[in-house]
Structure formats: structure tokens, C-alpha cells
Amino acid sequence: MAGVDELIKRGIADPAKLGVTGGRGGGILTNWVVTHTDRFQAAVSQRSISDWAAFRYTADFTLFQPTWFKAAPWQDEADFKARSPIHMVEKIRTPIMFIEGEQDMRTPPTAGGEALFRALKYLKRPTAIVQFPGESHELSRSGKPSHRVERLQHIVAWFDKYLLNQPVTTYDIN
């Protein structure tokens, strides 16, 4: 947030048109930041984690365990819950889109964007999810070229809608 503050101070960023996006670690941080501040007018979370316990049980990557958490989820539920944005979903007011590869086992959609998307829909908050069939965690780098282009088009459209107030109706589904 200090970096954002500095960009605003220098006149580089407009505080009324701030967007945030990221993938993998940046997706996790995108989910986290919108549970802690309303300063962003739009967010796009890609390949993220919203529930660390679900991630621990379903991801193909478990090397984090010895250094990121002191114990397993069933041994220290409070630690996993305290760091999982899904448990803070009611604080999210920022319109947020989730971009997922349906076959992503590094950050499985059910432990990340899909879980938050479903919770936000239940809460009737502005959200959308774009899931790419046949794509893995590598969607943005080595996914099908048409999917990589479509991914970027969705990000731009979401920000056009919520940062520039353009009449994008693609995501106006109840």
C-alpha cells in the first residue's frame, strides 16, 4: 500500500481509478488486499488461493508446508483460517473477477477463485469468473494462444467497466 500511496502522491496513479491484479502469489495477494481495503475500484485475481486448508488438501504442490505453516490444517485450524481470504469474504466490496484454468492443480480453482466467486455471488456482490477448459496453471504463459488472448481481453474489459465506467455488459449476469 505504501507503493500505491507513493504513486498517488507523485500523480502517477489516480486514487479514483485504482485496479489490482495478479496471478499465483499475486492472485493470493489480490484476494487478501480486497478483504482489507476498499481503495481499489476493481480487481482481477488469477490462479489464486482463497482457502489454505483446501489448497493443502488438493494442490499438487505441498512443499510449502514445512516453512509456511507450523502444522497441518487439522492441527492448527486457526492459523489456516486467519490467512485464508475465504473466511473474510464478507468484507469484500471491490468488484472482482477470477480467472482460472479448469485443470490447474497448482492452485486448484475450488481452493481459490471458484470458492470466493461462489461466496460473493451468494452475498450478491459484483463478481465474475472465467474458467478456461483444458488449461493448467500455465494458462498465461503457455496456454492455448486463443485462451491467452481471451484472458487479456477479459482483464481489460473488467477494468474498462469498473475503472473507466465503460458500458461493458458482458458480466451483468445475476
Side-chain angles (χ1 to χ4, degrees):
M1 292 303 114
V4 174
D5 292 337
E6 183 62 26
L7 292 173
I8 292 169
K9 184 174 129 184
R10 293 182 189 189
I12 295 169
D14 181 345
K17 295 181 182 178
L18 293 176
V20 61
T21 187
R24 194 173 182 168
I28 297 162
L29 292 175
T30 297
N31 294 345
W32 185 262
V33 77
V34 298
T35 65
H36 286 75
T37 182
D38 292 335
R39 77 185 306 182
F40 297 95
Q41 285 70 48
V44 178
S45 177
Q46 307 169 63
R47 304 181 323 274
S48 69
I49 297 166
S50 67
D51 184 337
W52 283 106
F55 172 80
R56 168 70 164 71
Y57 296 131
T58 60
D60 69 358
F61 179 78
T62 58
L63 298 177
F64 73 91
Q65 180 61 30
T67 56
W68 294 3
F69 292 92
K70 295 175 186 166
W74 63 89
Q75 296 169 323
D76 193 353
E77 183 180 350
D79 188 27
F80 280 79
K81 187 175 179 179
R83 296 198 243 169
S84 296
I86 191 69
H87 295 287
M88 300 167 228
V89 68
E90 292 190 50
K91 295 180 181 180
I92 298 175
R93 298 285 186 260
T94 306
I96 185 169
M97 169 185 279
F98 301 96
I99 296 179
E100 304 285 344
E102 285 185 341
Q103 295 179 3
D104 184 349
M105 293 309 297
R106 185 65 29 104
T107 54
T110 54
E114 189 174 327
L116 274 178
F117 168 75
R118 289 173 182 263
L120 289 166
K121 286 301 278 187
Y122 176 82
L123 295 170
K124 301 187 182 336
R125 307 280 168 77
T127 188
I129 190 167
V130 181
Q131 294 181 312
F132 288 91
E135 295 294 353
S136 71
H137 195 66
E138 296 298 312
L139 166 65
S140 64
R141 295 175 292 275
S142 61
K144 188 175 175 183
S146 62
H147 286 168
R148 293 188 330 206
V149 169
E150 184 182 348
R151 174 187 150 270
L152 293 171
Q153 290 170 330
H154 281 293
I155 294 168
V156 169
W158 191 256
F159 286 144
D160 282 350
K161 178 177 181 67
Y162 288 103
L163 300 182
L164 302 179
N165 296 316
Q166 291 186 2
V168 177
T169 59
T170 307
Y171 311 108
D172 293 344
I173 300 171
N174 293 329

